[in-house]
């Protein structure tokens, strides 16, 4: 019997030493492939005598089987090692700091709008809305604007192209048309249906929303926000208006020492009409509420003009009430010390990151001060 132990030892050593799958495959082909040494030995069996084949056959087959098994084992080991290396290379270092993730922030205007609504809601007001695209009737005529009033000019108001019926719609210049829609029971829900308020008098609503005017500088932007107020009942008078607004301002600025004053003014839709100022200090280059001897106008208001009640189908001899309109962005600037109104609408996330509010942090919706 031919001794194959040297060949076996040699091939086994090479198999054990194969560094990778490619080298191992080379060895397999060299030993067991068609032209391999072991295959040649197997083929030589054919030329042997039956006696020789009896002993050589099992020896060579045994050699082939052992080498096949060794190659298989080495292959499994190399594959395992390759997988290990791959896993090691792609390992996640969980101790690394996570990349910063930008969190959403509530815009100061919406934060302040919510604060205002929360305060008026505590006083028993509901919320009503109206459309941004209004018609002349709701924005002007029903509110007693005379036909040639300057607000009806193109340079003050954004008008849309005339529709099929020739009517020119406009972007509402104030939230006062919400008053008309509530009294005429034609206000529409914008977005949330729970804001639908169809109500007969007595009425007590606030109407927040966007308003538009052709205007742009540090304190005016073409779009800004107002909050309208309307109270209609049998015996509502100017004193109720003053108390309501004083109470609101103290609660909003979270200071009991806020001083206000009413100045006579003119609005077509209220009689008498007034503007309300808050006392403030401007000496440090910043407006401070609750101190100083300067005044800052924050709203207009008055007793609802009898013409408006009549235009809205209410009998002025039976009903009366007050209305007011507050500038939401202006109050946000004052409360949170933001100097330029244009920043509100520049859509700069760095500004929002600085001045924005967390959506969930504050348990008291009427207070953003901490
Ligand atoms: N609509 C007025 C404006 O935009 C503000 C206003 C004044 C609203 C008096 C009112 C009011 O409801 O009574 O300038």
């Amino acid at each position: 019997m031919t001794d194959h132990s040297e060949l076996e030892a040699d091939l086994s050593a090479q198999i054990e030493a194969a560094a990778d799958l490619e080298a191992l495959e080379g060895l397999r082909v060299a030993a067991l492939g068609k032209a391999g040494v072991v295959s040649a030995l197997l083929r030589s069996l054919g030329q042997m005598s039956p006696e020789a084949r009896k002993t050589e056959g099992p020896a060579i087959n045994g050699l082939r089987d052992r080498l096949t098994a060794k190659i298989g084992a080495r292959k499994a080991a190399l594959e395992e090692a390759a997988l290990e290396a791959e896993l090691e290379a792609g390992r996640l270092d969980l101790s690394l700091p996570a990349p910063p993730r930008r969190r959403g922030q509530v815009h100061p205007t919406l934060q302040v709008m919510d604060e205002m609504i929360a305060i008026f809601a505590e006083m028993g007001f509901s919320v009503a809305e109206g459309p941004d695209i209004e018609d002349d009737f709701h924005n002007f005529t029903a509110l007693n604007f005379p036909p040639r009033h300057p607000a009806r000019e193109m340079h003050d108001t954004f008008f849309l192209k005339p529709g099929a019926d020739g009517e020119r719609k406009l972007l509402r210049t104030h939230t006062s048309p919400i008053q008309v829609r509530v009294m005429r029971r034609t206000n529409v829900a914008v977005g949330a249906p729970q804001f639908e308020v169809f109500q007969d008098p007595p009425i007590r609503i606030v109407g927040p929303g966007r308003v538009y005017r052709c205007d742009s500088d540090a304190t005016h932007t073409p779009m800004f926000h107002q909050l309208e107020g309307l109270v209609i009942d049998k015996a509502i008078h100017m004193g109720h208006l003053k108390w309501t607004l004083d109470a609101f301002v103290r609660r909003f600025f979270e200071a009991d020492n806020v001083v206000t004053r009413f100045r006579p003014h003119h609005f077509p839709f209220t009689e008498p009409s007034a503007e309300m100022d808050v006392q403030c200090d401007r000496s440090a280059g910043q407006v401070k509420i609750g101190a100083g001897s300067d005044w800052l106008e924050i709203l207009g208001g008055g007793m609802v003009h009898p013409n408006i009640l009549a235009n809205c189908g209410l009998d002025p001899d039976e009903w009366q009430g007050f209305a007011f309109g507050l500038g939401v962005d202006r109050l946000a600037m004052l409360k949170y010390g933001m100097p330029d109104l244009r920043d509100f609408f520049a859509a700069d996330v760095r500004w929002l990151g600085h001045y924005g509010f967390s959506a969930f942090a504050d348990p008291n919706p009427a207070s953003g001060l901490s």
Side-chain angles (χ1 to χ4, degrees):
M1 187 178 89
T2 322
D3 184 7
H4 299 301
S5 56
E6 208 171 308
L7 176 66
E8 182 167 358
D10 185 35
L11 285 172
S12 299
Q14 288 190 51
I15 289 166
E16 268 322 298
D20 52 34
L21 290 166
E22 211 180 330
L24 185 67
E25 177 64 6
L27 284 169
R28 189 191 65 78
V29 172
L32 304 169
K34 261 201 192 119
V37 276
V38 180
S39 306
L41 287 174
L42 282 166
R43 265 197 307 278
S44 70
L45 285 172
Q47 273 86 58
M48 287 179 197
S49 65
E51 290 77 40
R53 205 182 297 146
K54 247 189 204 152
T55 53
E56 288 298 317
I60 298 173
N61 278 318
L63 172 65
R64 184 202 52 200
D65 293 347
R66 286 191 299 280
L67 288 174
T68 303
K70 277 187 180 150
I71 289 173
R74 181 67 187 148
K75 188 168 180 220
L78 284 173
E79 278 172 351
E80 169 104 20
L83 184 62
E84 282 294 325
E86 196 180 312
L87 288 175
E88 185 66 26
R91 206 159 88 132
L92 290 178
D93 182 351
L94 296 179
S95 70
L96 283 176
R101 195 152 65 103
R102 185 164 276 143
R103 285 201 297 153
Q105 300 256 268
V106 177
H107 193 285
T109 295
L110 291 185
Q111 164 78 19
V112 163
M113 201 110 112
D114 282 351
E115 292 175 20
M116 295 167 81
I117 289 170
I119 294 167
F120 283 111
E122 282 175 7
M123 295 187 198
F125 285 74
S126 324
V127 177
E129 291 192 306
D132 288 23
I133 298 176
E134 262 300 0
D135 51 36
D136 181 275
F137 175 76
H138 290 93
N139 197 77
F140 294 126
T141 306
L143 290 165
N144 211 28
F145 280 78
R148 310 217 70 81
H149 192 278
R152 291 183 130 137
E153 299 291 327
M154 293 284 278
H155 58 258
D156 276 326
T157 300
F158 294 109
F159 286 95
L160 278 67
K161 289 207 188 95
D165 54 1
E167 191 199 346
R168 271 193 327 172
K169 297 241 184 184
L170 51 91
L171 297 180
R172 68 177 171 201
T173 59
H174 51 179
T175 43
S176 302
I178 296 174
Q179 292 184 32
V180 179
R181 289 186 176 274
V182 169
M183 286 187 276
R184 291 173 61 90
R185 304 166 58 96
T186 57
N187 72 310
V188 292
V190 180
Q194 70 267 27
F195 286 167
E196 231 161 324
V197 178
F198 297 123
Q199 95 184 53
D200 288 325
I203 293 170
R204 206 184 291 177
I205 59 103
V206 285
R210 297 186 199 92
V211 299
Y212 308 82
R213 288 180 204 173
C214 302
D215 221 350
S216 187
D217 60 37
T219 51
H220 297 92
T221 48
M223 189 276 287
F224 58 104
H225 299 79
Q226 290 187 334
L227 183 99
E228 194 75 13
L230 177 69
V231 172
I232 302 286
D233 208 330
K234 304 253 168 174
I236 294 291
H237 55 70
M238 206 68 181
H240 294 123
L241 172 64
K242 194 168 186 312
W243 183 89
T244 303
L245 294 174
D246 275 346
F248 165 77
V249 163
R250 293 205 177 102
R251 184 90 164 75
F252 179 77
F253 288 109
E254 297 171 43
D256 286 334
N257 59 348
V258 182
V259 181
T260 59
R261 75 174 179 194
F262 276 62
R263 267 181 301 102
H265 197 75
H266 172 76
F267 296 106
F269 35 90
T270 41
E271 183 58 37
S273 304
E275 280 189 333
M276 191 173 101
D277 303 332
V278 282
Q279 199 163 43
C280 62
D281 176 39
R282 279 188 243 223
S283 56
Q286 229 198 347
V287 184
K288 202 167 176 306
I289 302 291
S293 54
D294 295 314
W295 296 97
L296 190 89
E297 181 236 316
I298 59 162
L299 66 89
M303 297 304 294
V304 177
H305 196 294
N307 287 359
I308 279 80
L309 296 169
N311 289 343
C312 296
L314 298 181
D315 180 357
D317 291 327
E318 189 183 357
W319 301 105
Q320 62 187 45
F322 67 73
F324 59 86
L326 284 151
V328 179
D329 315 280
R330 176 171 282 197
L331 283 177
M333 288 169 81
L334 277 176
K335 183 167 179 179
Y336 297 110
M338 293 168 281
D340 193 328
L341 180 64
R342 285 169 299 197
D343 292 336
F344 279 58
F345 309 111
D348 185 335
V349 286
R350 294 167 304 175
W351 182 85
L352 195 56
H354 182 75
Y355 287 110
F357 293 82
S358 161
F360 304 109
D362 201 311
N364 175 5
S367 170
L369 291 177
S370 49

